[in-house]
């Protein structure tokens, strides 16, 4: 229209929200359910970066192609082999869980990606990725990554009680959901306990691992805690509802953000999607897994979830179902309204 300002078109990589995951061993299904939860609710286009063992690559390609076209057009996917640019690959592979250390190398491997959300395979999105992606805009000039605290209460936190190495803040941070400005990470000189000057991210990783390898329990997460202990100004800490784990409800409810806003990202660590220790987590996983893509969200996702939750009210996490349901209900209403508006708009005749 005349007088309207024209905005330059973003390059496609910027229009994309980049999501990275590392899958090894028996994590194929879990990873696919995580990606499904991302696609179900996201608004903007997604670029998946899947780092997988060679044996899993054809499976990923096959399964993603089976999704209906109304969803496959919302994302593009790239599958990469597991690689480590410095140090001994076998040592990195043995660090904590197979391949977990791969996430440390994302800034080095994905050289053309500006920003990225990394998640563990056992994560489920209960609201659009767009909402956590917007937190990148809240970084100040020195912040280059964002994570949630490992625990809310120091006296029951793991790091505050057992860690034998430096860690961030009073309870450490959990690396299962990590938002990263890769451009900043690549161009920063990091303070460290190795030399008096700064080191780049890539220069620092292997010597840091060598120095602390006898003291670390949680592998790459511990290394990230050590890095941000020496560089606290580089970390943006987001609240616990963006990385909600069994620890937040099994010792009584201790994530205030989730009580107020609902869980935004669920992190089923400790294998809770696959055993009966935390039936609330398992219920969410199974309902998203079994949801037929083209079905009505309320009918085939929300209502089955509510009825499954009724069976978990006797458990510590099940006593607070609203914490798990609040955000997902809000998100589904938005998705539903958007679809109805689009549908009515397309079919309206003047």
């Amino acid at each position: 229209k005349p007088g309207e300002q024209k905005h330059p078109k973003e390059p496609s990589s910027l229009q994309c929200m980049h999501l990275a995951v590392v899958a090894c061993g028996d994590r194929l299904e879990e990873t696919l359910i995580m990606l499904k939860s991302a696609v179900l609710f996201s608004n903007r286009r997604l670029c998946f970066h899947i780092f997988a063992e060679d044996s899993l690559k054809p499976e990923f390609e096959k399964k993603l192609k089976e999704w209906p076209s109304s969803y496959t057009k919302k994302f593009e996917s790239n599958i990469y082999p597991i690689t480590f640019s410095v140090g001994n690959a076998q040592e990195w592979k043995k660090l904590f869980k197979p391949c977990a250390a791969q996430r440390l190398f994302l800034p080095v491997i994905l050289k053309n990606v500006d920003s990225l959300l990394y998640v563990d395979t056992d994560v489920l999105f209960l609201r659009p990725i767009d909402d956590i992606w917007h937190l990148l805009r809240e970084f100040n000039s020195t912040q280059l990554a964002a994570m949630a605290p490992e625990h809310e209460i120091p006296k029951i936190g793991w790091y505050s009680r057992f860690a034998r190495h430096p860690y961030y803040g009073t309870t450490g941070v959990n690396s299962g959901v990590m938002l990263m400005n890769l451009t900043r990470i690549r161009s920063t000189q990091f303070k460290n306990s190795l030399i008096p000057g700064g080191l780049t991210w890539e220069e620092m990783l292997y010597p840091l691992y060598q120095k602390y390898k006898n003291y670390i329990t949680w592998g790459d997460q511990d290394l990230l805690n050590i890095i941000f202990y020496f560089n606290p100004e580089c970390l943006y800490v987001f609240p616990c509802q963006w990385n909600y784990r069994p620890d937040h409800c099994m010792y009584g409810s201790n994530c205030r953000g989730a009580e107020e806003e609902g869980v935004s990202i669920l992190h089923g660590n400790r294998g809770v999607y696959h055993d009966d220790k935390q039936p609330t987590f398992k219920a969410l996983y199974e309902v998203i897994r079994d949801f037929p893509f083209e079905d009505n969200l309320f009918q085939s996702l929300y209502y089955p979830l509510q009825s499954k939750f009724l069976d978990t009210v006797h458990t510590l996490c099940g006593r607070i179902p609203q914490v798990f349901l609040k955000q997902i209900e809000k998100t589904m209403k938005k998705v539903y309204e958007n679809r109805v508006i689009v549908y009515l708009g397309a079919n309206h005749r003047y």
Side-chain angles (χ1 to χ4, degrees):
K1 286 177 193 171
E4 245 185 12
Q5 255 189 319
K6 280 192 177 169
H7 293 284
K9 230 182 154 199
E10 282 186 277
S12 63
S13 65
L14 289 177
Q15 291 173 332
C16 231
M17 296 181 294
H18 294 271
L19 178 66
V21 64
V22 179
C24 284
D26 58 0
R27 297 298 181 114
L28 176 80
E29 184 195 70
E30 217 174 62
T31 307
L32 287 163
I33 310 304
M34 179 278 289
L35 297 172
K36 182 180 183 180
S37 73
V39 170
L40 278 179
F41 302 130
S42 67
N43 300 316
R44 270 171 69 184
R45 186 170 174 75
L46 290 160
C47 286
F48 295 151
H49 301 275
I50 303 164
F51 290 81
E53 287 172 309
D54 296 342
S55 58
L56 294 179
K57 186 181 178 186
E59 279 298 298
F60 271 116
E61 287 171 344
K62 177 172 166 273
K63 297 281 184 194
L64 290 171
K65 277 189 186 122
E66 287 168 4
W67 290 4
S69 62
S70 55
Y71 286 94
T72 55
K73 69 182 184 200
K74 288 175 74 176
F75 69 89
E76 59 187 69
S77 57
N78 298 290
I79 303 172
Y80 309 82
I82 303 292
T83 49
F84 304 99
S85 62
V86 289
N88 179 322
Q90 287 316 307
E91 261 186 300
W92 283 122
K93 273 187 185 166
K94 284 191 292 224
L95 183 64
F96 190 46
K97 286 181 181 163
C99 314
Q102 181 70 73
R103 82 182 87 178
L104 297 171
F105 293 87
L106 297 175
V108 182
I109 298 165
L110 300 172
K111 285 188 163 61
N112 298 323
V113 175
D114 173 62
S115 294
L116 178 84
L117 177 64
Y118 163 86
V119 293
D120 283 349
T121 59
D122 52 9
V123 153
L124 291 169
F125 293 95
L126 305 187
R127 68 190 281 184
I129 289 191
D130 310 60
D131 298 340
I132 190 168
W133 194 256
H134 288 153
L135 295 179
L136 285 163
R137 296 181 195 160
E138 294 188 17
F139 284 16
N140 67 23
S141 60
T142 59
Q143 289 164 339
L144 45 75
M147 286 184 264
E150 172 64 23
H151 222 288
E152 300 306 298
I153 303 162
K155 67 175 186 224
I156 52 174
W158 193 90
Y159 284 106
S160 37
R161 290 184 298 159
F162 305 118
R164 295 186 295 148
H165 59 76
Y167 57 88
Y168 179 87
T170 52
T171 58
V173 280
N174 182 285
S175 59
V177 179
M178 183 164 52
L179 195 58
M180 294 184 275
N181 182 322
L182 300 184
T183 305
R184 284 189 182 180
I185 290 174
R186 286 187 284 263
S187 62
T188 298
Q189 291 281 320
F190 291 88
K191 298 189 287 295
N192 59 85
S193 57
L194 305 161
I195 62 162
L199 288 170
T200 66
W201 185 266
E202 192 176 14
E203 286 167 346
M204 178 173 58
L205 289 177
Y206 194 61
L208 206 60
Y209 163 66
Q210 287 298 334
K211 178 169 180 176
Y212 290 104
K213 66 179 178 184
N214 297 326
Y215 305 100
I216 57 182
T217 306
W218 306 112
D220 49 305
Q221 178 172 294
D222 290 348
L223 288 177
L224 288 162
N225 267 285
I226 294 164
I227 290 168
F228 290 111
Y229 168 83
F230 290 106
N231 300 271
E233 72 288 352
C234 293
L235 191 67
Y236 175 101
V237 179
F238 49 67
C240 47
Q241 67 265 30
W242 292 105
N243 185 350
Y244 190 90
R245 284 156 279 130
D247 285 11
H248 288 121
C249 50
M250 60 194 267
Y251 306 115
S253 182
N254 61 48
C255 173
R256 189 173 295 162
E259 286 173 20
E260 289 166 7
E261 284 186 28
V263 174
S264 296
I265 294 179
L266 192 75
H267 184 182
N269 63 344
R270 304 171 184 260
V272 293
Y273 296 148
H274 314 293
D275 62 28
D276 296 313
K277 287 179 184 154
Q278 300 298 339
T280 325
F281 281 76
K282 191 180 183 182
L284 260 158
Y285 178 78
E286 288 178 347
V287 165
I288 292 174
R289 179 193 67 195
D290 299 339
F291 173 69
F293 272 106
E294 304 283 25
D295 273 23
N296 177 295
L297 281 164
F298 278 102
Q299 219 170 321
S300 304
L301 200 146
Y302 189 69
Y303 298 135
L305 196 53
Q306 278 186 315
S307 60
K308 270 185 187 252
F309 274 9
L310 289 174
D311 300 333
T312 75
V313 289
H314 62 285
T315 67
L316 281 166
C317 293
R319 286 185 315 182
I320 45 170
Q322 71 286 359
V323 162
F324 295 89
L325 291 169
K326 194 180 279 188
Q327 210 37 262
I328 202 166
E329 182 181 6
K330 205 168 146 185
T331 299
M332 284 195 299
K333 275 188 178 145
K334 267 191 196 154
V335 171
Y336 181 71
E337 281 162 13
N338 290 347
R339 281 188 192 160
V340 168
I341 290 161
V342 167
Y343 177 78
L344 287 174
N347 288 283
H348 205 77
R349 295 278 177 273
Y350 288 99

